[in-house]
Amino acid sequence: MKFPTAHTVLLIIAAFVAVITWLVPAGQYDRLHYDASADSFKVTGSEEKTLPATQQSLDELGIKIPLENFTEGDIWKPIGIPGTYKRAVANPQGVIEFFQAPLKGIEEAIDIILFVLILGGAIGVVHTTGAFDSGVTSLSKLLEGKEYLLIIIITSLIAAGGTTFGLAEETIAFYPILVPVFLAAGYDAMVAVACIYIGSSMGTMASTVNPFSVIIASDSAGINWLTGINGRMMMLFVGLSLCLWYILKYARKVKRDPSKSIIFDQKEELEQRFLAKQNQVASALSGRQKMILVVFALCFVIMIYGVSSLDWWFLEMTTVFFVGAIIMGVIAKVREKAFVKNFISGAKDLLSVALIIGVARGITILMNQGQVSDTLLYQSSLLVEGMPKGLFINMLYFLYTGLALFVSSSSGMAVLTMPVFAPLADVVGIGRELIVNAYMYGQGLFAFINPTGLILASLTVVNVGYNKWLKFIMPLLIILAVLGMIALTAGVYL
């Protein structure tokens, strides 16, 4: 017997979630949404009403959040109103809903899926020009004897993207590009996955200015996002250092003895897939190939700038790679029929990844339709209420780790939980920034292995099994879990 594919793993989890909707009572918090066009608050749930957008309205609802967090657009999603949880009419998800969920997920995640497919098409165009393969050969020779620098630089840069603007889904683009580089450097594909995924996960786990986690969570908790930033920066530095040590240790072992690789049984298969063309091209890059690589690199630069500074999202990112593919095809003088063929072939290579993203979104849809997310949140709040502050913050940390399976979106988790958990900090006698940190560290920790997150899609690009990833990552995960506990406990008592 073999470990099931990523798609089957997600379907098993979806079935589990569907069963939960039959066992866990349905319930909902009332929601508060700011309507900028009318400059008013709308309350939905057990009763629907409109309130003036004033601080008094927030105080009367028991929401200790400054009004400007809403009016200035920092909180753009509906938030739960503390103390309003009520049982709802049960809506258990049956067989029909189970089979429809992946399809609805694909429909709902179509923007991400389109980005992945267009990205695959652009990569297919680059491959057909031979520019990428020649570039890999040149880079391998340049780094000969200093391959470890590749691990440090790439992991650190991606972690910087994660901590600043939430670099996550965009990293799917890096795997087909960087895996051949690491293979040519004498490492295995697991090192490439580790550098990219661990870098992104560690960066988002210890977010410093990430608007999709720390800023929206702080705003939803009613505090300035700069509160507690020193502790998060220390967490980022220590955590990233541990991650680099762990990856480098494994990489050196594999480079000395390839049989020590966790995926040694796939060595020939992966080298054939990612390095097959490399030996068929000259190591020297032609001028035309250099231009193509410059255009391809500029696509990433423009994408990152647009996301971080221009409020771009997947439509704009997809457009960048679509236009980039056309420009690279023109530079390479690829004939129209050959261009279309190679573009479609590249998109086909990432079709499996695109489907995984849709199926994972379907799990969230089952949770929402079954109305059990708020019930799990309510029961969690009862569980930690009244605990000693040291025990409280660590229990909350691990509660967030568990909740992340059902709510993989960082911004969704923030607006769902902060209005409920943040007031508990006042009762226990700790700063609300520790609630924000517990949310980031807990959800970020589980992101390393979260099957409803990006890890399965990432592994599918490289054709590495989830079970092998678990074998690789678990020792590091335990180390980071302990680090999170130390950081939160120190924040409580120091």
Side-chain angles (χ1 to χ4, degrees):
M1 293 183 64
K2 294 184 178 181
F3 195 83
T5 63
H7 307 77
T8 303
V9 169
L10 286 173
L11 287 175
I12 291 171
I13 295 173
F16 171 70
V17 169
V19 171
I20 285 179
T21 64
W22 289 82
L23 303 177
V24 177
Q28 287 281 325
Y29 283 96
D30 289 348
R31 295 286 196 273
L32 179 74
H33 173 67
Y34 174 68
D35 185 351
S37 60
D39 191 29
S40 63
F41 288 123
K42 290 186 177 181
V43 177
T44 58
S46 56
E47 59 174 331
E48 298 192 6
K49 57 184 177 181
T50 301
L51 300 174
T54 63
Q55 191 65 52
Q56 182 180 353
S57 297
L58 294 173
D59 294 339
E60 290 174 353
L61 293 172
I63 300 175
K64 298 180 180 180
I65 299 176
L67 176 64
E68 56 267 23
N69 288 359
F70 293 92
T71 57
E72 293 177 4
D74 295 326
I75 301 177
W76 65 89
K77 292 185 176 182
I79 67 169
I81 302 175
T84 61
Y85 174 81
K86 294 181 180 64
R87 290 286 181 88
V89 177
N91 186 31
Q93 302 296 286
V95 175
I96 294 177
E97 289 81 7
F98 167 74
F99 285 113
Q100 287 181 344
L103 306 180
K104 290 181 178 179
I106 292 172
E107 182 180 32
E108 193 171 289
I110 190 61
D111 53 349
I112 306 177
I113 291 172
L114 187 60
F115 168 72
V116 170
L117 294 177
I118 296 298
L119 170 66
I123 293 171
V125 172
V126 177
H127 270 303
T128 195
T129 66
F132 178 61
D133 304 301
S134 296
V136 169
T137 303
S138 300
L139 185 60
S140 300
K141 291 183 177 180
L142 183 65
L143 292 173
E144 190 171 359
K146 299 180 181 179
E147 294 88 355
Y148 67 91
L149 291 175
L150 191 66
I151 295 174
I152 297 173
I153 293 170
I154 289 177
T155 306
S156 299
L157 287 175
I158 292 179
T163 193
T164 53
F165 65 91
L167 182 67
E169 288 90 349
E170 300 88 344
T171 59
I172 293 292
F174 300 153
Y175 292 98
I177 312 304
L178 293 176
V179 169
V181 176
F182 281 93
L183 291 178
Y187 301 121
D188 66 0
M190 187 66 81
V191 176
V193 175
C195 290
I196 299 170
Y197 195 80
I198 290 177
S200 171
S201 298
M202 189 64 238
T204 52
M205 179 181 179
S207 293
T208 51
V209 297
N210 181 357
F212 305 109
S213 62
V214 64
I215 292 182
I216 189 173
S218 298
D219 288 333
S220 300
I223 59 174
N224 189 297
W225 62 269
L226 290 172
T227 306
I229 192 172
N230 291 334
R232 292 190 287 272
M233 290 180 68
M234 180 62 68
M235 179 68 170
L236 176 63
F237 175 77
V238 176
L240 182 58
S241 298
L242 288 170
C243 290
L244 286 171
W245 164 79
Y246 187 82
I247 299 171
L248 286 167
K249 180 182 176 182
Y250 173 82
R252 290 193 190 102
K253 180 176 67 174
V254 169
K255 194 172 180 65
R256 284 195 303 265
D257 184 359
S259 66
K260 299 294 184 182
S261 168
I262 291 177
I263 54 174
F264 180 69
D265 60 325
Q266 296 179 257
K267 186 175 186 296
E268 292 184 7
E269 170 203 339
L270 292 173
E271 288 180 351
Q272 177 65 27
R273 176 179 176 183
F274 289 102
L275 295 179
K277 298 179 183 179
Q278 185 181 338
N279 296 325
Q280 302 174 14
V281 294
S283 60
L285 279 165
S286 67
R288 195 182 301 276
Q289 288 175 328
K290 288 179 181 178
M291 288 178 62
I292 290 169
L293 291 179
V294 167
V295 172
F296 191 62
L298 280 175
C299 289
F300 286 92
V301 173
I302 294 170
M303 176 190 75
I304 292 172
Y305 175 75
V307 171
S308 59
S309 302
L310 303 177
D311 293 327
W312 281 10
W313 202 229
F314 283 103
L315 176 61
E316 292 82 1
M317 290 191 294
T318 304
T319 304
V320 168
F321 282 97
F322 182 60
V323 174
I326 295 173
I327 293 174
M328 289 184 290
V330 171
I331 293 174
K333 296 184 178 180
V334 179
R335 293 181 178 274
E336 180 265 339
K337 287 187 177 179
F339 176 86
V340 172
K341 179 182 178 181
N342 289 304
F343 188 90
I344 293 175
S345 177
K348 182 182 66 176
D349 289 341
L350 291 186
L351 179 60
S352 180
V353 177
L355 291 175
I356 283 176
I357 293 170
V359 175
R361 182 67 63 89
I363 295 173
T364 302
I365 290 174
L366 284 173
M367 289 286 294
N368 293 337
Q369 291 179 167
Q371 300 185 90
V372 295
S373 299
D374 284 8
T375 301
L376 294 175
L377 176 61
Y378 173 70
Q379 294 298 331
S380 298
S381 67
L382 295 180
L383 180 63
V384 298
E385 194 172 8
M387 287 183 176
K389 55 186 181 181
L391 179 60
F392 166 82
I393 198 65
N394 282 285
M395 282 295 296
L396 189 61
Y397 170 46
F398 286 107
L399 274 175
Y400 269 116
T401 303
L403 289 172
L405 175 65
F406 304 103
V407 186
S408 58
S409 165
S410 58
S411 59
M413 178 76 84
V415 298
L416 176 67
T417 63
M418 280 302 139
V420 178
F421 285 143
L424 296 179
D426 305 332
V427 178
V428 178
I430 62 175
R432 290 191 173 197
E433 71 275 7
L434 290 172
I435 307 295
V436 174
N437 290 351
Y439 140 78
M440 288 199 309
Y441 300 166
Q443 186 177 51
L445 181 69
F446 193 66
F448 284 88
I449 59 171
N450 189 357
T452 61
L454 285 174
I455 184 57
L456 292 184
S458 301
L459 293 173
T460 300
V461 178
V462 190
N463 197 27
V464 171
Y466 183 54
N467 57 325
K468 294 181 180 180
W469 171 255
L470 291 178
K471 182 178 179 180
F472 169 79
I473 199 67
M474 286 311 295
L476 177 61
L477 199 67
I478 293 171
I479 294 171
L480 293 178
V482 173
L483 177 63
M485 293 176 66
I486 293 172
L488 290 170
T489 304
V492 168
Y493 291 108
L494 296 181

